[in-house]
Structures are given as structure tokens and as C-alpha cells.
Amino acid sequence: IIDENDAARSPVILNLTRERDEAENDLRVTEERLTELKNTLDGLVIRTQQRKKKADELKEQEQKLKNEIEMCVSRASMLSDLEKNMEGYQGSVKAVMREVKRGTLKGIHAPISQLINVDEKYALAIETALGVQIQNIVTDTENDAKRAIAFLKQSNSGRATFLPLTAIKGKVVDEKSLDDCFGYIDIASNLVKCDKKYEQIITSQLGRTVVAEDMDSAIVIAKKYNYRFRIVTLDGQLINAGGSMTGGSKTHTAGILSRGNEIEKLGARTEKLKNELESISQKVKTAIESLNA
């Protein structure tokens, strides 16, 4: 009986054993596949994290550029408004230029400050050298200046100085060996850029002024040439012809010339930043597409 039972169970046992072996094999294959999938998933997680980090970094750069562009545009707009309203100019100069815009005064060009360009490095020195003369108004002829003066007198708008192109002639410092002096930079008029027709005007205002590195070198140069001409330093100190000295903090006219330079500089900076932003924005787009993939 026992043998018969064993014989009857044997196929069942064999079948169960086979099923067990198959199940164990399936389990092993499944565990191996699971390990492969886990490794793949871990790799994808790492790649996703890396791509997200890159996308986030690019977005941060993009936002910084947007903020900087906004600041540049805002600053340029404010300075342009100041320039448009001629903030810092004398009331008489404003009055004349208003009449020019209205068309009631002819032959008026502009104040010197609006007719010249100066490298930022020399802006303070040139502003200091010009002083209130930076607001002197250039005209075509003496008659144009005469009419503008008559307007100021009739309207009780104050006084202004006019520089007729037909009348003004300038002289330049002509001293030997100036180039050899320690701290000497150049004649002030040589550091100013302007339209050729204004060259005599600029020479008349700055041709007798030398620009020096600092006060120490300015004093040495002034003594060497017996105080025959003015010397202005890069930080805005002045030794006048004759030996008197003027200095201290910036004058009230300082900034009028720098304002135009800064507007131009901000414009160039904004364009550069916009180009950078365009490049970064494209990289952000590519990074997001890569992350989504």
C-alpha cells in the first residue's frame, strides 16, 4: 500500500518540484531584472537631478541678466530725463534752449557740455577745467548771440555766456618739454572729442589747461613753467595761472558731462546684456527640453 501511495505521489512531487524550480528561476530572473531597472532608475534620477540643477542654474543666470537689464534701462531713463529737463543747468541756459525748441531763437547750437565727448577717465578733470563755462552756449554768429542776450534781458531770465563760431579763436599751451614732465597727461583740449566745427571753441576753453595725474605732479609742472598756464588733476584739483589753487570735493557743475557719458555707457551695456540674455534663454529652453525628455 505504501509503495502504491509513493508511486501515486511521485508524479505530483516531480511536478511540484519542477514548478518550484521554474518559480525560483523566474524569481531570480525577476530579481535580476528588478536590479537592472533599479540601476537604470537610479541613473535616470541622477541625470534628471543634474539636468534640473543645470536648468535651475541657467534660469538663475537668466533672471540675473533680466534684473541687470532692468536696472540699466531704469538708470538710463532717469539720466535721460535729467538731461532732457537740463537738470543742473542755470535757469538762463534752460530758458534759451526752451526758446530754441520753440523755434523763436535761431542759430543756437547747445551748451558746450552737449557738444563734446570725453573718456570717463578724464571726465572729472575736463568738468573741473571748464567749471561754469561748461554751460556756455555756442551760436553760429555774434548776431545770434545778441538776439539770445536780448531775449534773456527782456524776459528777465538771467545771464548766460555765448560763444559765436565766427568770433572765437583758441590758443594752445606751447611750452617745450611738457611731454617729459612726470605726471603730465596732455593738453585738456586734446582729450575732448567734438565735431570739427567746434574745435576752436574747445581750444578757447581748454587749450591753455594741462591735465596732470595728481596734485604733486601738477605742482612740480606749475613751478617749472612759472605758473604760466592752468593745470587740472584727474581727481578735479586745479592750479590756476598765477599760482592760486582750487580744490576739494566735486563742484556743483560736476556730473553734467559725466551724465551723457553714463547714458551712452548704459546703452552699450544694455545691448551687451540683451545679447547675453538671448543666448542664456536659448540654453534654458534646451535644458528644459532635455529635462522633460
Side-chain angles (χ1 to χ4, degrees):
I1 296 172
I2 293 173
D3 290 340
E4 289 178 359
N5 288 339
D6 287 345
R9 289 181 184 130
S10 183
V12 175
I13 291 171
L14 287 172
N15 188 49
L16 288 172
T17 301
R18 186 174 63 253
E19 288 181 359
R20 183 198 64 190
D21 291 343
E22 288 175 356
E24 286 178 346
N25 185 63
D26 288 345
L27 178 60
R28 187 179 68 255
V29 170
T30 301
E31 286 176 341
E32 289 174 355
R33 179 62 177 153
L34 181 60
T35 300
E36 288 176 7
L37 289 171
K38 187 177 181 301
N39 290 338
T40 300
L41 179 59
D42 289 344
L44 287 170
V45 168
I46 291 170
R47 287 169 65 189
T48 301
Q49 289 172 341
Q50 290 173 338
R51 291 183 185 188
K52 185 177 185 305
K53 183 181 178 183
K54 183 178 180 181
D56 288 343
E57 287 173 349
L58 287 169
K59 283 181 183 178
E60 188 177 345
Q61 290 178 41
E62 182 183 45
Q63 191 57 52
K64 282 182 179 178
L65 284 170
K66 286 179 179 178
N67 292 342
E68 192 171 352
I69 287 171
E70 187 177 340
M71 287 173 60
C72 285
V73 170
S74 177
R75 173 72 176 165
S77 177
M78 183 197 73
L79 291 172
S80 294
D81 286 342
L82 291 176
E83 192 69 9
K84 183 179 178 181
N85 297 326
M86 299 192 75
E87 197 69 31
Y89 287 84
Q90 298 169 356
S92 56
V93 176
K94 290 182 182 180
V96 169
M97 297 314 295
R98 274 197 301 269
E99 292 304 303
V100 171
K101 286 183 180 179
R102 288 173 57 188
T104 57
L105 284 177
K106 305 292 184 181
I108 308 293
H109 290 245
I112 286 177
S113 60
Q114 296 181 356
L115 300 176
I116 61 176
N117 284 305
V118 182
D119 288 344
E120 189 175 355
K121 181 180 179 181
Y122 307 120
L124 180 55
I126 298 302
E127 284 176 350
T128 302
L130 285 169
V132 295
Q133 295 175 104
I134 201 169
Q135 299 191 37
N136 288 355
I137 300 171
V138 176
T139 67
D140 277 330
T141 66
E142 293 95 321
N143 285 334
D144 297 319
K146 181 180 174 182
R147 282 192 294 271
I149 289 171
F151 157 73
L152 289 174
K153 185 176 179 181
Q154 290 165 8
S155 61
N156 198 29
S157 298
R159 299 167 67 85
T161 299
F162 297 89
L163 305 171
L165 289 170
T166 52
I168 303 296
K169 303 295 178 188
K171 291 183 178 181
V172 180
V173 171
D174 185 19
E175 300 284 356
K176 293 180 180 179
S177 303
L178 257 177
D179 290 346
D180 297 330
C181 294
F182 180 79
Y184 168 82
I185 293 176
D186 209 336
I187 307 299
S189 55
N190 293 340
L191 301 175
V192 174
K193 300 167 190 169
C194 66
D195 191 288
K196 189 172 180 62
K197 62 186 172 186
Y198 302 124
E199 285 180 355
Q200 285 299 315
I201 297 289
I202 301 309
T203 301
S204 73
Q205 305 297 299
L206 296 171
R208 298 288 302 167
T209 301
V210 163
V211 178
E213 290 278 355
D214 51 40
M215 187 55 103
D216 289 338
S217 55
I219 290 172
V220 172
I221 295 170
K223 285 181 178 179
K224 179 177 179 178
Y225 293 95
N226 202 27
Y227 303 97
R228 288 194 291 269
F229 48 81
R230 289 195 310 166
I231 305 174
V232 66
T233 64
L234 292 178
D235 65 347
Q237 315 309 318
L238 190 65
I239 299 179
N240 300 292
S244 63
M245 300 167 70
T246 305
S249 59
K250 292 183 181 181
T251 65
H252 69 280
T253 60
I256 290 177
L257 185 56
S258 298
R259 193 159 64 204
N261 286 350
E262 188 174 355
I263 291 171
E264 187 176 338
K265 188 176 177 182
L266 284 167
R269 176 67 177 159
T270 300
E271 284 305 307
K272 183 174 181 291
L273 290 171
K274 283 182 178 178
N275 290 334
E276 289 180 16
L277 177 61
E278 186 177 344
S279 175
I280 287 291
S281 295
Q282 184 57 48
K283 288 180 181 178
V284 168
K285 182 181 176 183
T286 302
I288 291 174
E289 289 173 352
S290 177
L291 174 61
N292 291 338

